[in-house]
Amino acid sequence: MAKMSGCVGRASSLIRHSGFDIRVFFLGLCLSLGLCLAAETPTGEEILKKVDQNVYSDTRVAVSQMVIHLERNTRTVRAKSWVSGSDKSFSEFLYPPRDAGTKMLKLGDELWTYTPETDRIIKISGQMLRQSVMGSDLSYEDMMEDRKLIDEYDAGVTGNDTLRGRPCWVLELTAKTSTVSYHSRKVWVDKERYVPLQEDRFAKSGMLLKTTEVDSVSRRQGRWVADRVTFKDALKSGAGTEFIVDSLQLDVPIPDYVFSKASLKK
């Protein structure tokens, strides 16, 4: 031990006499490592922007299905939807036959539904927006959610994790206003593809309201798309609802008449 101390002392002396300050060296090394780590860890805002860039499009036309796993049975609902920006969307249910022709129109923060059975247009507002769509784990609020995350939430990176073999950033999102459906979210974002792979969504009280898990991601028109997602309403029984994207067209022209009340009864 004494011999080692002597060696260290002689080495320190040599460093001092050579004009090299080891403290400056280590300080520089620590600063360099800190800068590297900072460069490797983007901010929550930067991650959200990349998620939005990957997910958001000016327009989209999609055919999708919901496989609803109820307590005693399973049912499948199929629909086609047209979306323009964050303010306009129109959906028509195609299957099963008893629900075919049911339509939904969203303009801004307003939502209307039409059912051929009653031949009536009904405005969905207030507490009704939290009701289940076709008995699924998705609410009308979920179906209306087209705004960019960066416009709705402040985000912070709280850690790293691995989901299904994919390295992820773990983000905590807090709503910027009281008008959003969920006050906070915990989100696992794929570090390479910038797709949210899992979410926990909470009320202002901290109660868990809903979870989502991405079961499949595919490359479509130059971007990564979550094309199979399981939604689970924490307040409902059953095994959740699988939302499956069968076909998707991005940034395609959509006629203005699609987003009108007249289209509900056509």
Side-chain angles (χ1 to χ4, degrees):
M1 182 66 72
K3 186 176 181 180
M4 182 178 293
S5 299
C7 289
V8 172
R10 285 194 296 274
S12 299
S13 177
L14 285 171
I15 289 171
R16 285 197 299 273
H17 284 90
S18 66
F20 182 83
D21 192 332
I22 194 168
R23 292 171 300 178
V24 174
F25 170 75
F26 279 115
L27 178 60
L29 180 62
C30 290
L31 286 172
S32 298
L33 288 172
L35 289 172
C36 288
L37 288 173
E40 290 175 1
T41 306
T43 66
E45 182 177 321
E46 289 169 338
I47 294 171
L48 277 196
K49 283 182 178 178
K50 289 190 176 183
V51 169
D52 285 334
Q53 288 169 4
N54 197 36
V55 174
Y56 190 84
S57 59
D58 290 336
T59 63
R60 68 177 181 270
V61 179
V63 176
S64 59
Q65 56 181 308
M66 293 189 297
V67 182
I68 306 164
H69 299 280
L70 302 170
E71 203 166 6
R72 297 184 178 179
N73 64 340
T74 298
R75 64 188 296 257
T76 299
V77 178
R78 200 160 185 254
K80 185 172 184 178
S81 60
W82 296 256
V83 178
S84 177
S86 60
D87 295 322
K88 299 177 183 178
S89 68
F90 183 87
S91 299
E92 179 176 0
F93 289 89
L94 310 173
Y95 180 88
R98 69 179 182 183
D99 295 318
T102 298
K103 300 172 185 176
M104 293 193 305
L105 171 67
K106 171 199 166 187
L107 296 175
D109 293 327
E110 298 184 300
L111 178 69
W112 295 268
T113 64
Y114 168 79
T115 54
E117 185 178 358
T118 62
D119 194 29
R120 291 178 57 200
I121 295 174
I122 299 174
K123 185 175 182 178
I124 306 295
S125 60
Q127 293 295 321
M128 294 174 65
L129 289 168
R130 298 180 181 177
Q131 293 179 358
S132 165
V133 176
M134 298 290 185
S136 71
D137 289 69
L138 283 82
S139 66
Y140 288 104
E141 285 181 321
D142 294 326
M143 299 291 283
M144 291 177 69
E145 201 172 63
D146 291 313
R147 291 188 177 92
K148 294 181 179 179
L149 287 172
I150 195 66
D151 294 335
E152 301 283 331
Y153 291 93
D154 293 317
V157 182
T158 60
N160 302 276
D161 204 350
T162 301
L163 290 180
R164 292 176 287 283
R166 305 290 307 182
C168 296
W169 304 116
V170 183
L171 270 61
E172 296 285 351
L173 309 187
T174 305
K176 293 180 178 180
T177 68
S178 60
T179 58
V180 297
S181 305
Y182 305 98
H183 177 264
S184 62
R185 303 186 184 197
K186 185 176 182 180
V187 187
W188 287 256
V189 178
D190 188 312
K191 288 186 178 182
E192 179 186 354
R193 300 178 296 189
Y194 286 93
V195 175
L197 297 182
Q198 184 171 306
E199 279 193 47
D200 294 337
R201 304 180 180 184
F202 301 90
K204 191 173 183 178
S205 65
M207 177 186 292
L208 178 63
L209 297 176
K210 197 158 293 184
T211 63
T212 69
E213 290 188 14
V214 172
D215 304 307
S216 175
V217 176
S218 64
R219 189 76 169 167
R220 304 195 188 204
Q221 293 183 231
R223 63 180 77 192
W224 292 105
V225 176
D227 52 19
R228 194 181 191 103
V229 185
T230 298
F231 290 79
K232 180 68 181 77
D233 188 331
L235 307 180
K236 289 181 62 175
S237 58
T241 297
E242 295 176 77
F243 187 87
I244 303 165
V245 179
D246 292 328
S247 67
L248 179 66
Q249 295 174 284
L250 302 173
D251 298 316
V252 293
I254 301 176
D256 288 338
Y257 70 79
V258 170
F259 306 108
S260 66
K261 288 186 183 179
S263 293
L264 289 169
K265 285 197 171 187
K266 282 185 178 180

